[in-house]
Amino acid sequence: MDFAQNSLFGYIEDLHELAIIERPVRRSLKTPEEIERLTVDEELNDIERAVYLLSSGQDVQGTSVVANLPVLIRQNPVETIRRVVPKIREVLHVAGVEMQITAAYSFLTILQEELVSIHSYCHSFLQIILQNLEHRDTGVSNAWLETLLSVIEVLPKENLRHEDDCTGDVGPAAEPFIAALQLAGIAPAVAVVLPLRPGTQMHHFRGMPIPRRPQWTGDSNILNPLISKAQLSQTVQSRLASCKILGKLANKFEIHVIKRDILPLVKSLCQDVEYEVRSCMCRQLEYIAQGIGTELTKTVVLPELVELARDENNNVRLASFESLVNLLTMLDPDDRIQIVLPLVKSFCEKSFKADESVLASLSLHLGKLCHGLQGVFTQDQHLWFLEFYKKLCRLGLHQENGHNDNQLQTIELEKKYLLVRKNCAYNFPAMIIFVGSKNFHLELFSSFFCLCHDPEVPVRLTMATGFYEVAKLLSSNIYIIHKELITLMQDESLEVLDALLDHCPETLELMTTGGENPGSETKLVMIPDLIPALIAAEQKSSASLKWRTHEKLLQKYACLPRIISSDQIYYRFLQRMFAILMSNNVLPVQKAAARTLCIFLRYNRKQEQRYEIIQKMIEQLGQGKSYWNRLRFLDTCEYIMELFSKSFFCKYFFLSVLDLTNDPVANVRMKICYMLPKLKSTLKLPTDKVLLQQLELCVRKLLCQEKDKDVLSIVKRTVLELDRMEISMEAFQKRYYEKDMLDQEKEREEHLLLEMEQIEKEKQQNEAKTTEKNFEKKRRDSKTGSALTKNIPTSITGSTANSPSGKEVKKTKLVRSRSFSHHAINSKHGTLEKYPNKLSGGNSVPGVGKAALLPYVAVQYLEDYFPNDTFKPRSTSVTGNLSFSSSSAIASSSRITGNSVDQKTNGSKDSQPRKISLKNRKSNT
């Protein structure tokens, strides 16, 4: 018995421990008294409830009210500002960090969404912002500072402008700003002693009179409170806030005001004793330069930046470098050559000896720097910066760590070097512009190869993100990097593949068309390596747990009909799409595979292959044993209705979908009921009258025999929608003009695919006949030649040199053949010119006219959508095309009269003869 108790329930001591653990959990539950204190009267409206919670509620309730403040203002702005905002001001004096940060975020939301006017905002909220700007917690203070900076940014210039006579007149929106500053205890400036920044010059001022900051007198205006906050007597946090505020105010005043009041303060902050203040003010100089213009920038800002670039602190020098890079566009060429370029070059040379964080910032801004100074570089300087970039691309890859015994320092150093190489990968497109696409192979390809094969994932990820930009810049030289595309596509990290997929269709199209030069000899150079890489990428993403990457990949593979041939898609990708539909457990992945499969079917050019794909869809999905497969069949049919013409869907899938109304699973029948309006919209009368009767019969059967309550309710709602629907007629109807035109365009393209298939077959037959004739001719010539060589003396062979050779005879025949082909095509163009209305959208003439037009349109569509399949029909195939087109026209006319369509033609059901248009073939992809 003791053994049973011990084995089932454990020892008594363990039970005691469990009881001890449970006690704090029970104590954490709210007592009735606490619940009573948290309970609020339900009869109170939102405003009264907010005031009550701010007055007597707990902190968590007050924080909730502050977070909900934008919603209250949307509902009732007047009462919220009158009653709730004053309560928030009172509570924030004693509020905690969480409520303070929440209030700053809510105030910023109100400003960004413009829930109140700027004048009302300054009058109601600005005082609260300034009162809490000096909070002892740094995070809270920074949150309020960001809100204040946003207020200054949206404040109109005229509301901050004061008069030249210094009377203190300000705009109406600035009055509450000044009043708020005064209420916050910020007084105008007084004479305050300021020591210069420490460093090499510090010892010269010991024991000597110390310069003072400039004094400002006169009436108080909006700048005076700000000046007081920038004095040395204030805290470092206050002076840092002043630097950021000055950067925002630089664009809000006239030039003379900035020159008189702001620039002296800027200079004094650039000479502050704390390096944090000097660095912060240095980063604001670019914004101040934008406000004062190029002349003052050259005389005031640039000297300050040059001086700060020689500062003893790395952070200050780094801030100066970044500001110089951002101001390159505002400097004239002389300043760039004489001042900026030597300074930047010296900074780059010293960067390897300084802190590694300097290298990280330098590598991040190097692309912008080279682009901004490109016009002033000499050849040697150009080569120097290029070699410097190449050195950064390999930084840390071959470092010897034997000199460093501290493993932690080595890890930190490797992280910094990783960041440098990542920044180099980010700047690679800018460096291609720097050297030019023609010099890419000689100058930058080695660095490109190194970054694409970097051992660290973030570097390769950055290269994959910018690969499309690199491909666009290389243009016709894009073939150089096709192996690196294959490498990134087969990368061991799925993050790299995911980044590459963002612009995968555009990149692949550039690759396979040779960039901007369609006639390039490098076209299709990467196709043999591309298909295995695409297959491997799909298999790898499928085997992982990152189904979103797999879904994106399947969506992007819809571009493959423009990249590779339909045979390659059929033999290498279609079976995989079926396998995903049948076996994958993630619904978004299955739907992505279904849509891509429909696109593959849409642009397949083989009649037998299309029939086989359709048959597989119906048998394996629509008639599958698993109800899950039957649901995916319905999803696939929705994509077919979207991508194909109505006649195509009605011919191959309509009855198969209706058969599922008898499905034993209620979920399948329910999905069918939701699809009934779409099914009815695919019908056209009078051609599809039989299908409409079948649809009505299925609906009646569902209404009479359906036992599932949910399905029956959906059927009843759907019947009302079906009764309101109108079916489009074969005759022209203005109300359905746009939809009918789109459907006609889809149907026309489907017929063109049939024409392409027939033309290709005739082309192959002609090539086979030509090859056979050439073989027979060579065999006869060989026999004749052997007989002649036995009878003709060798001395006579030299006399036949002037006679036309066999090659020349063949060349003459080829020229005649080409001229005949050209004549046939020209005659076809003449036929088109006789009927301009057919190409411009008018009604086509049934019978022979359409038959004469379709082959030419088929060739154009083939060359337009399938650029990779070189297709030029010969003159011998033109007559065959005409006969096939006439049969196609007969088939289409038989559909109009209601006769059954011939199963041998793989076209969808054709409606009345319609106009031929070649516009926007690519838009349907």
PDB file of all heavy atoms in Angstrom, residues 646-651 654 679-695 727-728 730 895-896 898 909-910:
ATOM      1  N   LYS A 646     -14.815  32.677 -69.592  1.00  0.00           N
ATOM      2  CA  LYS A 646     -16.010  31.982 -69.109  1.00  0.00           C
ATOM      3  C   LYS A 646     -16.256  30.696 -69.890  1.00  0.00           C
ATOM      4  O   LYS A 646     -16.634  29.673 -69.312  1.00  0.00           O
ATOM      5  CB  LYS A 646     -17.222  32.903 -69.223  1.00  0.00           C
ATOM      6  CG  LYS A 646     -17.138  34.155 -68.361  1.00  0.00           C
ATOM      7  CD  LYS A 646     -18.355  35.038 -68.572  1.00  0.00           C
ATOM      8  CE  LYS A 646     -18.283  36.286 -67.715  1.00  0.00           C
ATOM      9  NZ  LYS A 646     -19.459  37.165 -67.908  1.00  0.00           N
ATOM     10  N   SER A 647     -16.038  30.753 -71.185  1.00  0.00           N
ATOM     11  CA  SER A 647     -16.301  29.568 -72.003  1.00  0.00           C
ATOM     12  C   SER A 647     -15.359  28.422 -71.659  1.00  0.00           C
ATOM     13  O   SER A 647     -15.751  27.259 -71.681  1.00  0.00           O
ATOM     14  CB  SER A 647     -16.168  29.926 -73.476  1.00  0.00           C
ATOM     15  OG  SER A 647     -14.890  30.460 -73.746  1.00  0.00           O
ATOM     16  N   PHE A 648     -14.115  28.749 -71.326  1.00  0.00           N
ATOM     17  CA  PHE A 648     -13.160  27.701 -70.939  1.00  0.00           C
ATOM     18  C   PHE A 648     -13.620  27.006 -69.659  1.00  0.00           C
ATOM     19  O   PHE A 648     -13.623  25.783 -69.559  1.00  0.00           O
ATOM     20  CB  PHE A 648     -11.779  28.316 -70.737  1.00  0.00           C
ATOM     21  CG  PHE A 648     -10.704  27.319 -70.371  1.00  0.00           C
ATOM     22  CD1 PHE A 648      -9.966  26.693 -71.356  1.00  0.00           C
ATOM     23  CD2 PHE A 648     -10.441  27.011 -69.045  1.00  0.00           C
ATOM     24  CE1 PHE A 648      -8.982  25.768 -71.018  1.00  0.00           C
ATOM     25  CE2 PHE A 648      -9.471  26.109 -68.694  1.00  0.00           C
ATOM     26  CZ  PHE A 648      -8.738  25.476 -69.702  1.00  0.00           C
ATOM     27  N   PHE A 649     -14.027  27.782 -68.668  1.00  0.00           N
ATOM     28  CA  PHE A 649     -14.475  27.185 -67.414  1.00  0.00           C
ATOM     29  C   PHE A 649     -15.734  26.353 -67.625  1.00  0.00           C
ATOM     30  O   PHE A 649     -15.864  25.251 -67.087  1.00  0.00           O
ATOM     31  CB  PHE A 649     -14.725  28.279 -66.383  1.00  0.00           C
ATOM     32  CG  PHE A 649     -15.292  27.773 -65.090  1.00  0.00           C
ATOM     33  CD1 PHE A 649     -14.482  27.177 -64.146  1.00  0.00           C
ATOM     34  CD2 PHE A 649     -16.651  27.866 -64.824  1.00  0.00           C
ATOM     35  CE1 PHE A 649     -15.001  26.695 -62.950  1.00  0.00           C
ATOM     36  CE2 PHE A 649     -17.178  27.384 -63.648  1.00  0.00           C
ATOM     37  CZ  PHE A 649     -16.348  26.802 -62.707  1.00  0.00           C
ATOM     38  N   CYS A 650     -16.661  26.886 -68.380  1.00  0.00           N
ATOM     39  CA  CYS A 650     -17.898  26.137 -68.610  1.00  0.00           C
ATOM     40  C   CYS A 650     -17.640  24.835 -69.367  1.00  0.00           C
ATOM     41  O   CYS A 650     -18.314  23.832 -69.125  1.00  0.00           O
ATOM     42  CB  CYS A 650     -18.883  27.008 -69.386  1.00  0.00           C
ATOM     43  SG  CYS A 650     -19.520  28.412 -68.452  1.00  0.00           S
ATOM     44  N   LYS A 651     -16.677  24.841 -70.265  1.00  0.00           N
ATOM     45  CA  LYS A 651     -16.412  23.661 -71.075  1.00  0.00           C
ATOM     46  C   LYS A 651     -15.776  22.546 -70.266  1.00  0.00           C
ATOM     47  O   LYS A 651     -16.119  21.370 -70.434  1.00  0.00           O
ATOM     48  CB  LYS A 651     -15.511  24.040 -72.240  1.00  0.00           C
ATOM     49  CG  LYS A 651     -15.176  22.882 -73.165  1.00  0.00           C
ATOM     50  CD  LYS A 651     -14.336  23.356 -74.331  1.00  0.00           C
ATOM     51  CE  LYS A 651     -13.997  22.197 -75.266  1.00  0.00           C
ATOM     52  NZ  LYS A 651     -13.173  22.631 -76.417  1.00  0.00           N
ATOM     53  N   PHE A 654     -17.328  23.263 -65.233  1.00  0.00           N
ATOM     54  CA  PHE A 654     -18.618  23.641 -64.666  1.00  0.00           C
ATOM     55  C   PHE A 654     -19.364  22.434 -64.114  1.00  0.00           C
ATOM     56  O   PHE A 654     -19.812  22.441 -62.953  1.00  0.00           O
ATOM     57  CB  PHE A 654     -19.456  24.347 -65.737  1.00  0.00           C
ATOM     58  CG  PHE A 654     -20.682  25.014 -65.188  1.00  0.00           C
ATOM     59  CD1 PHE A 654     -20.653  26.332 -64.797  1.00  0.00           C
ATOM     60  CD2 PHE A 654     -21.873  24.318 -65.066  1.00  0.00           C
ATOM     61  CE1 PHE A 654     -21.783  26.950 -64.282  1.00  0.00           C
ATOM     62  CE2 PHE A 654     -23.006  24.916 -64.559  1.00  0.00           C
ATOM     63  CZ  PHE A 654     -22.960  26.240 -64.161  1.00  0.00           C
ATOM     64  N   LEU A 679     -20.663  30.850 -60.177  1.00  0.00           N
ATOM     65  CA  LEU A 679     -20.941  29.879 -61.245  1.00  0.00           C
ATOM     66  C   LEU A 679     -21.957  30.437 -62.237  1.00  0.00           C
ATOM     67  O   LEU A 679     -21.810  30.293 -63.455  1.00  0.00           O
ATOM     68  CB  LEU A 679     -21.457  28.567 -60.634  1.00  0.00           C
ATOM     69  CG  LEU A 679     -20.466  27.741 -59.810  1.00  0.00           C
ATOM     70  CD1 LEU A 679     -21.157  26.520 -59.230  1.00  0.00           C
ATOM     71  CD2 LEU A 679     -19.284  27.313 -60.659  1.00  0.00           C
ATOM     72  N   LYS A 680     -22.972  31.084 -61.720  1.00  0.00           N
ATOM     73  CA  LYS A 680     -23.986  31.631 -62.617  1.00  0.00           C
ATOM     74  C   LYS A 680     -23.428  32.765 -63.469  1.00  0.00           C
ATOM     75  O   LYS A 680     -23.844  32.951 -64.625  1.00  0.00           O
ATOM     76  CB  LYS A 680     -25.182  32.114 -61.795  1.00  0.00           C
ATOM     77  CG  LYS A 680     -26.364  32.537 -62.653  1.00  0.00           C
ATOM     78  CD  LYS A 680     -27.571  32.902 -61.812  1.00  0.00           C
ATOM     79  CE  LYS A 680     -28.752  33.299 -62.698  1.00  0.00           C
ATOM     80  NZ  LYS A 680     -29.934  33.663 -61.885  1.00  0.00           N
ATOM     81  N   SER A 681     -22.471  33.513 -62.927  1.00  0.00           N
ATOM     82  CA  SER A 681     -21.906  34.631 -63.684  1.00  0.00           C
ATOM     83  C   SER A 681     -21.052  34.176 -64.856  1.00  0.00           C
ATOM     84  O   SER A 681     -20.748  34.979 -65.743  1.00  0.00           O
ATOM     85  CB  SER A 681     -21.073  35.517 -62.757  1.00  0.00           C
ATOM     86  OG  SER A 681     -19.942  34.804 -62.281  1.00  0.00           O
ATOM     87  N   THR A 682     -20.641  32.900 -64.885  1.00  0.00           N
ATOM     88  CA  THR A 682     -19.837  32.400 -66.004  1.00  0.00           C
ATOM     89  C   THR A 682     -20.675  31.973 -67.199  1.00  0.00           C
ATOM     90  O   THR A 682     -20.116  31.643 -68.250  1.00  0.00           O
ATOM     91  CB  THR A 682     -18.976  31.202 -65.549  1.00  0.00           C
ATOM     92  OG1 THR A 682     -19.834  30.153 -65.094  1.00  0.00           O
ATOM     93  CG2 THR A 682     -18.034  31.609 -64.435  1.00  0.00           C
ATOM     94  N   LEU A 683     -21.981  31.953 -67.059  1.00  0.00           N
ATOM     95  CA  LEU A 683     -22.850  31.456 -68.125  1.00  0.00           C
ATOM     96  C   LEU A 683     -23.215  32.566 -69.098  1.00  0.00           C
ATOM     97  O   LEU A 683     -23.295  33.741 -68.728  1.00  0.00           O
ATOM     98  CB  LEU A 683     -24.122  30.853 -67.526  1.00  0.00           C
ATOM     99  CG  LEU A 683     -23.914  29.681 -66.565  1.00  0.00           C
ATOM    100  CD1 LEU A 683     -25.237  29.227 -65.994  1.00  0.00           C
ATOM    101  CD2 LEU A 683     -23.201  28.524 -67.253  1.00  0.00           C
ATOM    102  N   LYS A 684     -23.439  32.169 -70.346  1.00  0.00           N
ATOM    103  CA  LYS A 684     -23.898  33.069 -71.393  1.00  0.00           C
ATOM    104  C   LYS A 684     -25.058  32.417 -72.133  1.00  0.00           C
ATOM    105  O   LYS A 684     -24.988  31.234 -72.473  1.00  0.00           O
ATOM    106  CB  LYS A 684     -22.775  33.379 -72.387  1.00  0.00           C
ATOM    107  CG  LYS A 684     -21.675  34.278 -71.845  1.00  0.00           C
ATOM    108  CD  LYS A 684     -20.668  34.600 -72.929  1.00  0.00           C
ATOM    109  CE  LYS A 684     -19.586  35.521 -72.407  1.00  0.00           C
ATOM    110  NZ  LYS A 684     -18.600  35.866 -73.463  1.00  0.00           N
ATOM    111  N   LEU A 685     -26.089  33.191 -72.339  1.00  0.00           N
ATOM    112  CA  LEU A 685     -27.253  32.693 -73.055  1.00  0.00           C
ATOM    113  C   LEU A 685     -27.237  33.196 -74.496  1.00  0.00           C
ATOM    114  O   LEU A 685     -26.762  34.299 -74.759  1.00  0.00           O
ATOM    115  CB  LEU A 685     -28.536  33.148 -72.341  1.00  0.00           C
ATOM    116  CG  LEU A 685     -28.756  32.567 -70.937  1.00  0.00           C
ATOM    117  CD1 LEU A 685     -30.054  33.125 -70.357  1.00  0.00           C
ATOM    118  CD2 LEU A 685     -28.788  31.060 -70.957  1.00  0.00           C
ATOM    119  N   PRO A 686     -27.699  32.383 -75.421  1.00  0.00           N
ATOM    120  CA  PRO A 686     -28.378  31.078 -75.271  1.00  0.00           C
ATOM    121  C   PRO A 686     -27.441  29.874 -75.294  1.00  0.00           C
ATOM    122  O   PRO A 686     -27.888  28.737 -75.190  1.00  0.00           O
ATOM    123  CB  PRO A 686     -29.294  31.050 -76.484  1.00  0.00           C
ATOM    124  CG  PRO A 686     -28.523  31.797 -77.523  1.00  0.00           C
ATOM    125  CD  PRO A 686     -27.761  32.873 -76.820  1.00  0.00           C
ATOM    126  N   THR A 687     -26.139  30.084 -75.433  1.00  0.00           N
ATOM    127  CA  THR A 687     -25.211  28.956 -75.591  1.00  0.00           C
ATOM    128  C   THR A 687     -25.239  28.033 -74.385  1.00  0.00           C
ATOM    129  O   THR A 687     -25.255  26.809 -74.523  1.00  0.00           O
ATOM    130  CB  THR A 687     -23.784  29.488 -75.806  1.00  0.00           C
ATOM    131  OG1 THR A 687     -23.795  30.401 -76.905  1.00  0.00           O
ATOM    132  CG2 THR A 687     -22.837  28.351 -76.082  1.00  0.00           C
ATOM    133  N   ASP A 688     -25.231  28.590 -73.175  1.00  0.00           N
ATOM    134  CA  ASP A 688     -25.123  27.797 -71.954  1.00  0.00           C
ATOM    135  C   ASP A 688     -26.481  27.580 -71.288  1.00  0.00           C
ATOM    136  O   ASP A 688     -26.572  27.525 -70.059  1.00  0.00           O
ATOM    137  CB  ASP A 688     -24.173  28.503 -70.975  1.00  0.00           C
ATOM    138  CG  ASP A 688     -22.785  28.668 -71.556  1.00  0.00           C
ATOM    139  OD1 ASP A 688     -22.343  27.751 -72.271  1.00  0.00           O
ATOM    140  OD2 ASP A 688     -22.148  29.705 -71.299  1.00  0.00           O
ATOM    141  N   LYS A 689     -27.502  27.473 -72.078  1.00  0.00           N
ATOM    142  CA  LYS A 689     -28.836  27.268 -71.522  1.00  0.00           C
ATOM    143  C   LYS A 689     -28.936  25.943 -70.787  1.00  0.00           C
ATOM    144  O   LYS A 689     -29.573  25.840 -69.723  1.00  0.00           O
ATOM    145  CB  LYS A 689     -29.867  27.335 -72.648  1.00  0.00           C
ATOM    146  CG  LYS A 689     -31.307  27.232 -72.179  1.00  0.00           C
ATOM    147  CD  LYS A 689     -32.279  27.378 -73.340  1.00  0.00           C
ATOM    148  CE  LYS A 689     -33.722  27.298 -72.862  1.00  0.00           C
ATOM    149  NZ  LYS A 689     -34.676  27.412 -73.994  1.00  0.00           N
ATOM    150  N   VAL A 690     -28.299  24.900 -71.326  1.00  0.00           N
ATOM    151  CA  VAL A 690     -28.343  23.584 -70.669  1.00  0.00           C
ATOM    152  C   VAL A 690     -27.633  23.639 -69.324  1.00  0.00           C
ATOM    153  O   VAL A 690     -28.110  23.067 -68.330  1.00  0.00           O
ATOM    154  CB  VAL A 690     -27.701  22.531 -71.593  1.00  0.00           C
ATOM    155  CG1 VAL A 690     -27.680  21.176 -70.902  1.00  0.00           C
ATOM    156  CG2 VAL A 690     -28.461  22.447 -72.907  1.00  0.00           C
ATOM    157  N   LEU A 691     -26.497  24.323 -69.267  1.00  0.00           N
ATOM    158  CA  LEU A 691     -25.778  24.431 -67.999  1.00  0.00           C
ATOM    159  C   LEU A 691     -26.585  25.220 -66.977  1.00  0.00           C
ATOM    160  O   LEU A 691     -26.548  24.913 -65.774  1.00  0.00           O
ATOM    161  CB  LEU A 691     -24.419  25.100 -68.230  1.00  0.00           C
ATOM    162  CG  LEU A 691     -23.441  24.349 -69.132  1.00  0.00           C
ATOM    163  CD1 LEU A 691     -22.145  25.127 -69.278  1.00  0.00           C
ATOM    164  CD2 LEU A 691     -23.156  22.947 -68.593  1.00  0.00           C
ATOM    165  N   LEU A 692     -27.310  26.227 -67.421  1.00  0.00           N
ATOM    166  CA  LEU A 692     -28.158  26.985 -66.497  1.00  0.00           C
ATOM    167  C   LEU A 692     -29.259  26.100 -65.927  1.00  0.00           C
ATOM    168  O   LEU A 692     -29.581  26.182 -64.735  1.00  0.00           O
ATOM    169  CB  LEU A 692     -28.754  28.184 -67.221  1.00  0.00           C
ATOM    170  CG  LEU A 692     -29.689  29.072 -66.400  1.00  0.00           C
ATOM    171  CD1 LEU A 692     -28.984  29.650 -65.187  1.00  0.00           C
ATOM    172  CD2 LEU A 692     -30.285  30.180 -67.265  1.00  0.00           C
ATOM    173  N   GLN A 693     -29.812  25.248 -66.740  1.00  0.00           N
ATOM    174  CA  GLN A 693     -30.826  24.320 -66.243  1.00  0.00           C
ATOM    175  C   GLN A 693     -30.236  23.366 -65.221  1.00  0.00           C
ATOM    176  O   GLN A 693     -30.872  23.053 -64.205  1.00  0.00           O
ATOM    177  CB  GLN A 693     -31.432  23.556 -67.422  1.00  0.00           C
ATOM    178  CG  GLN A 693     -32.250  24.430 -68.378  1.00  0.00           C
ATOM    179  CD  GLN A 693     -32.722  23.673 -69.588  1.00  0.00           C
ATOM    180  OE1 GLN A 693     -32.347  22.509 -69.799  1.00  0.00           O
ATOM    181  NE2 GLN A 693     -33.542  24.321 -70.426  1.00  0.00           N
ATOM    182  N   GLN A 694     -29.024  22.892 -65.478  1.00  0.00           N
ATOM    183  CA  GLN A 694     -28.363  22.016 -64.512  1.00  0.00           C
ATOM    184  C   GLN A 694     -28.128  22.743 -63.189  1.00  0.00           C
ATOM    185  O   GLN A 694     -28.312  22.171 -62.104  1.00  0.00           O
ATOM    186  CB  GLN A 694     -27.032  21.523 -65.082  1.00  0.00           C
ATOM    187  CG  GLN A 694     -27.159  20.594 -66.282  1.00  0.00           C
ATOM    188  CD  GLN A 694     -27.681  19.225 -65.872  1.00  0.00           C
ATOM    189  OE1 GLN A 694     -27.495  18.778 -64.755  1.00  0.00           O
ATOM    190  NE2 GLN A 694     -28.372  18.560 -66.798  1.00  0.00           N
ATOM    191  N   LEU A 695     -27.733  23.983 -63.267  1.00  0.00           N
ATOM    192  CA  LEU A 695     -27.505  24.759 -62.049  1.00  0.00           C
ATOM    193  C   LEU A 695     -28.803  24.935 -61.270  1.00  0.00           C
ATOM    194  O   LEU A 695     -28.834  24.755 -60.034  1.00  0.00           O
ATOM    195  CB  LEU A 695     -26.908  26.123 -62.417  1.00  0.00           C
ATOM    196  CG  LEU A 695     -26.677  27.106 -61.274  1.00  0.00           C
ATOM    197  CD1 LEU A 695     -25.644  26.564 -60.292  1.00  0.00           C
ATOM    198  CD2 LEU A 695     -26.221  28.458 -61.809  1.00  0.00           C
ATOM    199  N   ILE A 727     -28.030  37.180 -66.265  1.00  0.00           N
ATOM    200  CA  ILE A 727     -27.031  36.454 -67.045  1.00  0.00           C
ATOM    201  C   ILE A 727     -26.729  37.242 -68.307  1.00  0.00           C
ATOM    202  O   ILE A 727     -27.638  37.735 -68.984  1.00  0.00           O
ATOM    203  CB  ILE A 727     -27.529  35.036 -67.391  1.00  0.00           C
ATOM    204  CG1 ILE A 727     -27.851  34.270 -66.100  1.00  0.00           C
ATOM    205  CG2 ILE A 727     -26.499  34.281 -68.210  1.00  0.00           C
ATOM    206  CD1 ILE A 727     -28.378  32.896 -66.340  1.00  0.00           C
ATOM    207  N   SER A 728     -25.462  37.369 -68.639  1.00  0.00           N
ATOM    208  CA  SER A 728     -25.071  38.090 -69.849  1.00  0.00           C
ATOM    209  C   SER A 728     -25.465  37.299 -71.080  1.00  0.00           C
ATOM    210  O   SER A 728     -25.420  36.068 -71.090  1.00  0.00           O
ATOM    211  CB  SER A 728     -23.564  38.349 -69.847  1.00  0.00           C
ATOM    212  OG  SER A 728     -22.870  37.122 -69.801  1.00  0.00           O
ATOM    213  N   GLU A 730     -25.207  36.592 -75.378  1.00  0.00           N
ATOM    214  CA  GLU A 730     -24.200  36.588 -76.430  1.00  0.00           C
ATOM    215  C   GLU A 730     -24.201  37.902 -77.199  1.00  0.00           C
ATOM    216  O   GLU A 730     -23.175  38.376 -77.652  1.00  0.00           O
ATOM    217  CB  GLU A 730     -24.458  35.432 -77.406  1.00  0.00           C
ATOM    218  CG  GLU A 730     -24.244  34.059 -76.811  1.00  0.00           C
ATOM    219  CD  GLU A 730     -22.762  33.754 -76.572  1.00  0.00           C
ATOM    220  OE1 GLU A 730     -21.921  34.538 -77.042  1.00  0.00           O
ATOM    221  OE2 GLU A 730     -22.449  32.760 -75.933  1.00  0.00           O
ATOM    222  N   ARG A 895     -20.231  27.247 -82.191  1.00  0.00           N
ATOM    223  CA  ARG A 895     -20.641  27.538 -80.814  1.00  0.00           C
ATOM    224  C   ARG A 895     -21.762  28.566 -80.777  1.00  0.00           C
ATOM    225  O   ARG A 895     -22.669  28.495 -79.951  1.00  0.00           O
ATOM    226  CB  ARG A 895     -19.437  28.035 -80.010  1.00  0.00           C
ATOM    227  CG  ARG A 895     -19.838  28.520 -78.625  1.00  0.00           C
ATOM    228  CD  ARG A 895     -18.633  28.920 -77.816  1.00  0.00           C
ATOM    229  NE  ARG A 895     -19.034  29.637 -76.622  1.00  0.00           N
ATOM    230  CZ  ARG A 895     -19.526  29.081 -75.542  1.00  0.00           C
ATOM    231  NH1 ARG A 895     -19.664  27.773 -75.506  1.00  0.00           N
ATOM    232  NH2 ARG A 895     -19.863  29.800 -74.493  1.00  0.00           N
ATOM    233  N   ILE A 896     -21.735  29.498 -81.736  1.00  0.00           N
ATOM    234  CA  ILE A 896     -22.780  30.526 -81.751  1.00  0.00           C
ATOM    235  C   ILE A 896     -24.130  29.909 -82.091  1.00  0.00           C
ATOM    236  O   ILE A 896     -25.162  30.255 -81.523  1.00  0.00           O
ATOM    237  CB  ILE A 896     -22.413  31.617 -82.770  1.00  0.00           C
ATOM    238  CG1 ILE A 896     -21.093  32.268 -82.353  1.00  0.00           C
ATOM    239  CG2 ILE A 896     -23.501  32.656 -82.891  1.00  0.00           C
ATOM    240  CD1 ILE A 896     -20.566  33.235 -83.367  1.00  0.00           C
ATOM    241  N   GLY A 898     -25.069  27.047 -81.431  1.00  0.00           N
ATOM    242  CA  GLY A 898     -25.526  26.107 -80.404  1.00  0.00           C
ATOM    243  C   GLY A 898     -25.056  24.701 -80.627  1.00  0.00           C
ATOM    244  O   GLY A 898     -25.388  23.826 -79.845  1.00  0.00           O
ATOM    245  N   LYS A 909     -14.789  27.430 -75.506  1.00  0.00           N
ATOM    246  CA  LYS A 909     -15.962  27.708 -76.317  1.00  0.00           C
ATOM    247  C   LYS A 909     -15.909  29.143 -76.800  1.00  0.00           C
ATOM    248  O   LYS A 909     -15.796  30.057 -76.030  1.00  0.00           O
ATOM    249  CB  LYS A 909     -17.213  27.498 -75.464  1.00  0.00           C
ATOM    250  CG  LYS A 909     -17.369  26.063 -75.007  1.00  0.00           C
ATOM    251  CD  LYS A 909     -18.644  25.920 -74.195  1.00  0.00           C
ATOM    252  CE  LYS A 909     -18.840  24.502 -73.720  1.00  0.00           C
ATOM    253  NZ  LYS A 909     -20.038  24.328 -72.945  1.00  0.00           N
ATOM    254  N   ASP A 910     -16.014  29.288 -78.079  1.00  0.00           N
ATOM    255  CA  ASP A 910     -15.900  30.621 -78.653  1.00  0.00           C
ATOM    256  C   ASP A 910     -17.289  31.227 -78.803  1.00  0.00           C
ATOM    257  O   ASP A 910     -18.253  30.547 -79.119  1.00  0.00           O
ATOM    258  CB  ASP A 910     -15.191  30.523 -80.009  1.00  0.00           C
ATOM    259  CG  ASP A 910     -14.736  31.884 -80.476  1.00  0.00           C
ATOM    260  OD1 ASP A 910     -14.911  32.849 -79.731  1.00  0.00           O
ATOM    261  OD2 ASP A 910     -14.236  31.960 -81.596  1.00  0.00           O
TER     262      ASP A 910
END
